[in-house]
């Protein structure tokens, strides 16, 4: 897993000249940077031999917690730095930058201090409201401040395939996202937050909402399709609003999470907070539907809740949500069924009846239409945990 993380980090444009290899015999002296795991005392002997054989070697020991008492050997061998498992991204960047910068090797494009990547741990502390505003201003360079948060959840459609092919979904997603946005010259910053993945970036000036950023949407939609077809990874992304001040990232995160849970206007895989209805009467009716969805709910009842006629209610509800009443109600029921399939061992038949579907077959048909998988297929998937 440590290697998977490093592979993801090396996808950053700053490290485009660094290539990961496993075969030490193919290295030449002018390109050798070794990250070597130290799991036994014998591994330190291997380090000594490598250093003796290759005087120009840059070597970083990666120490297992059980071997921490041997760390002073690194000082004895005059090694530039060391990592302790689990390796963290900000320390990886910092140490690689420091060592390569002092070695005069043209392997990484750190031309000035402003090029150093934003510390994801710092952004996480902003989301938790652990950092004061004055600290934010002194930490980040003007022009580098991200202004929107994307909230990602995902499924591996075939966990057995992931295991057999030897890749890790969370690393693949981050690596592909980083490369995709690098092609349109945008840096993304990843924030594993609780069990989900957030990524944040700076949307260009002149764009009032992420849903109007055509280049960004095209990049994400293409990536979602690629991951599904090439790896069997299904992503679901909610997008918050743009906030020009860094302190607004916490709100953008909350908005992105809300968008992820809301019925889609266009795509199930990509939903924007800015497309959620703002009409108070419609929002009141949505709250009513959310509370009573498992009942034999009718459009007359929903319309009565906001004192509209069924005809007027149907028209304004469709305009604001992009869904007819029945379509919206069905999505809310399916959304609850998804949670039950993932977190309980209730039978599909019981879940169908509890969510207001007359027959299991009809429930399965509608479920597959909305989710893209049958209920039984959904239960065989694995939810991606990003921490």
């Amino acid at each position: 897993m440590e290697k998977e993380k490093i592979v993801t980090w090396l996808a950053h444009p700053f490290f485009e000249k660094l290539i990961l290899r496993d075969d030490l015999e193919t290295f030449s002296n002018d390109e050798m940077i070794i990250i070597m795991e130290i799991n036994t005392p014998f591994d330190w002997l291997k380090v000594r031999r490598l250093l003796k054989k290759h005087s120009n070697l840059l070597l970083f020991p990666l120490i297992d917690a059980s071997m921490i008492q041997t760390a002073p050997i690194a000082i004895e061998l005059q090694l530039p730095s060391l990592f302790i498992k689990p390796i963290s991204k900000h320390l990886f960047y910092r140490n690689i930058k420091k060592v390569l910068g002092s070695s005069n090797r043209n392997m990484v494009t750190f031309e000035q201090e402003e090029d150093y990547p934003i510390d994801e741990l710092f952004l996480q502390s902003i989301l938790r409201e652990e950092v004061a505003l004055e600290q934010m201003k002194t930490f980040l360079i003007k022009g580098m401040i991200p202004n929107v948060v994307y909230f990602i959840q995902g499924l591996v459609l075939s966990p057995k395939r992931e295991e057999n092919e030897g890749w890790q979904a969370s690393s693949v997603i981050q690596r592909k996202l980083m490369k995709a946005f690098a092609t349109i010259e945008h840096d993304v910053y990843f924030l594993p937050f609780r069990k989900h993945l957030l990524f944040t970036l700076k949307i260009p000036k002149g764009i009032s909402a992420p849903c109007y950023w055509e280049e960004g949407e095209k990049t994400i939609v293409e990536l979602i399709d690629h991951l599904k077809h090439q790896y069997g990874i299904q992503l679901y992304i909610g997008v918050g609003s743009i906030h020009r001040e860094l302190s607004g990232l916490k709100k953008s995160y909350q908005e992105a999470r809300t968008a992820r849970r809301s019925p889609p206007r266009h795509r199930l895989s990509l939903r924007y907070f800015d497309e959620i209805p703002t009409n108070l009467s419609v929002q009141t009716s949505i709250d009513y539907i959310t509370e009573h969805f498992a009942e034999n709910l009718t459009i007359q009842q929903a319309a009565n809740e906001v004192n509209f006629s069924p005809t007027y209610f149907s028209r304004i509800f469709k305009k604001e949500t992009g869904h007819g009443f029945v379509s919206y109600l069905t999505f809310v029921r399916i959304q609850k069924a998804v949670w039950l399939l993932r977190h309980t061992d209730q039978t599909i038949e019981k879940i169908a009846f509890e969510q207001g579907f007359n027959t299991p077959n009809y429930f399965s048909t509608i479920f597959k239409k909305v989710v893209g998988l049958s209920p039984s297929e959904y239960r065989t998937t694995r939810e991606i945990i990003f921490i």
Side-chain angles (χ1 to χ4, degrees):
M1 289 185 65
E2 302 300 314
K3 179 180 174 182
E4 284 286 343
K5 290 192 290 187
I6 293 171
V7 169
T8 300
W9 301 336
L10 290 181
H12 196 285
F14 291 157
F15 297 107
E16 62 184 356
K17 295 183 181 179
L18 299 183
I19 300 172
L20 188 71
R21 297 198 228 174
D22 292 313
D23 184 7
L24 295 181
E25 301 301 321
T26 64
F27 282 88
S28 64
N29 277 343
D30 63 346
E31 67 175 354
M32 293 182 69
I33 303 172
I34 305 296
I35 298 177
M36 186 170 178
E37 287 188 289
I38 305 297
N39 298 310
T40 70
F42 183 69
D43 290 330
W44 282 115
L45 182 58
K46 293 179 182 178
V47 170
R48 289 180 186 274
R49 290 173 179 172
L50 278 170
L51 292 173
K52 188 174 182 179
K53 184 177 180 180
H54 303 283
S55 59
N56 205 28
L57 176 67
L58 294 179
L59 192 145
F60 296 82
L62 177 58
I63 301 180
D64 185 78
S66 63
M67 294 294 297
I68 194 67
Q69 72 277 6
T70 68
I73 298 177
I75 300 175
E76 176 192 340
L77 295 174
Q78 298 183 333
L79 297 178
S81 184
L82 61 79
F83 300 116
I84 299 174
K85 294 181 184 179
I87 189 171
S88 65
K89 185 175 182 179
H90 73 292
L91 287 176
F92 177 81
Y93 277 137
R94 187 176 71 187
N95 289 333
I96 292 291
K97 174 190 175 182
K98 179 180 178 181
V99 172
L100 291 184
S102 62
S103 67
N104 297 320
R105 299 190 182 203
N106 188 27
M107 292 182 178
V108 60
T109 56
F110 290 116
E111 297 178 357
Q112 52 186 329
E113 187 66 24
E114 286 81 354
D115 288 332
Y116 190 64
I118 290 179
D119 191 327
E120 280 85 350
L121 293 180
F122 184 80
L123 292 175
Q124 283 183 325
S125 67
I126 292 173
L127 295 183
R128 297 189 180 100
E129 297 182 337
E130 297 171 351
V131 180
L133 287 176
E134 55 270 19
Q135 289 177 285
M136 299 178 191
K137 294 175 182 177
T138 59
F139 185 88
L140 296 175
I141 293 95
K142 185 178 180 181
M144 291 287 287
I145 299 176
N147 57 21
V148 66
V149 172
Y150 291 69
F151 180 93
I152 299 180
Q153 291 178 290
L155 303 173
V156 176
L157 302 183
S158 175
K160 194 67 176 176
R161 175 186 171 187
E162 179 186 27
E163 180 182 347
N164 291 339
E165 296 181 2
W167 45 266
Q168 187 182 42
S170 59
S171 294
V172 169
I173 292 166
Q174 292 179 64
R175 186 166 65 248
K176 295 292 184 179
L177 271 169
M178 189 177 288
K179 287 184 176 180
F181 278 93
T183 62
I184 60 172
E185 299 182 350
H186 280 269
D187 286 336
V188 297
Y189 307 103
F190 295 109
L191 308 173
F193 196 66
R194 294 161 186 163
K195 69 177 182 177
H196 310 299
L197 178 68
L198 314 181
F199 78 92
T200 183
L201 52 77
K202 183 176 181 180
I203 290 181
K205 291 181 180 179
I207 297 174
S208 60
C211 56
Y212 300 133
W213 186 30
E214 295 181 2
E215 186 179 40
E217 180 174 287
K218 180 175 181 291
T219 299
I220 291 178
V221 170
E222 290 178 352
L223 177 64
I224 289 171
D225 290 341
H226 171 75
L227 289 173
K228 185 171 184 178
H229 293 123
Q230 294 297 317
Y231 294 92
I233 295 173
Q234 178 66 61
L235 292 189
Y236 303 98
I237 302 176
V239 188
S241 298
I242 295 174
H243 294 271
R244 299 299 178 185
E245 294 294 327
L246 188 59
S247 56
L249 281 185
K250 175 67 178 288
K251 187 174 182 181
S252 187
Y253 154 67
Q254 294 168 337
E255 293 169 343
R257 190 173 181 180
T258 298
R260 165 65 187 91
R261 296 171 174 176
S262 302
R265 181 173 283 271
H266 302 294
R267 297 181 182 87
L268 182 64
S269 57
L270 184 61
R271 288 168 256 179
Y272 297 99
F273 181 80
D274 294 292
E275 293 180 338
I276 294 176
T278 56
N279 183 289
L280 292 179
S281 295
V282 171
Q283 190 57 58
T284 299
S285 66
I286 287 174
D287 293 341
Y288 180 77
I289 292 170
T290 303
E291 185 177 351
H292 299 278
F293 68 88
E295 303 171 12
N296 189 22
L297 198 60
T298 66
I299 191 171
Q300 180 71 62
Q301 291 171 301
N304 289 344
E305 186 67 18
V306 289
N307 297 316
F308 288 164
S309 70
T311 301
Y312 180 71
F313 173 78
S314 178
R315 183 167 65 251
I316 193 171
F317 191 87
K318 173 78 172 181
K319 178 183 177 181
E320 288 287 318
T321 67
H323 292 268
F325 169 76
V326 174
S327 172
Y328 195 98
L329 174 61
T330 299
F331 181 88
V332 173
R333 288 172 170 172
I334 292 296
Q335 194 172 42
K336 178 62 176 178
V338 163
W339 190 92
L340 291 170
L341 286 167
R342 177 67 65 198
H343 298 285
T344 74
D345 58 0
Q346 292 183 25
T347 65
I348 292 174
E349 290 77 10
K350 183 176 181 180
I351 291 173
F353 288 126
E354 281 187 355
Q355 304 317 308
F357 293 92
N358 294 326
T359 68
N361 286 339
Y362 178 64
F363 166 68
S364 295
T365 299
I366 298 300
F367 190 96
K368 186 163 187 176
K369 182 178 179 181
V370 173
V371 179
L373 302 167
S374 70
S376 56
E377 288 172 335
Y378 180 80
R379 268 193 158 155
T380 64
T381 65
R382 180 181 69 81
E383 183 181 6
I384 300 170
I385 306 299
F386 288 95
I387 291 183

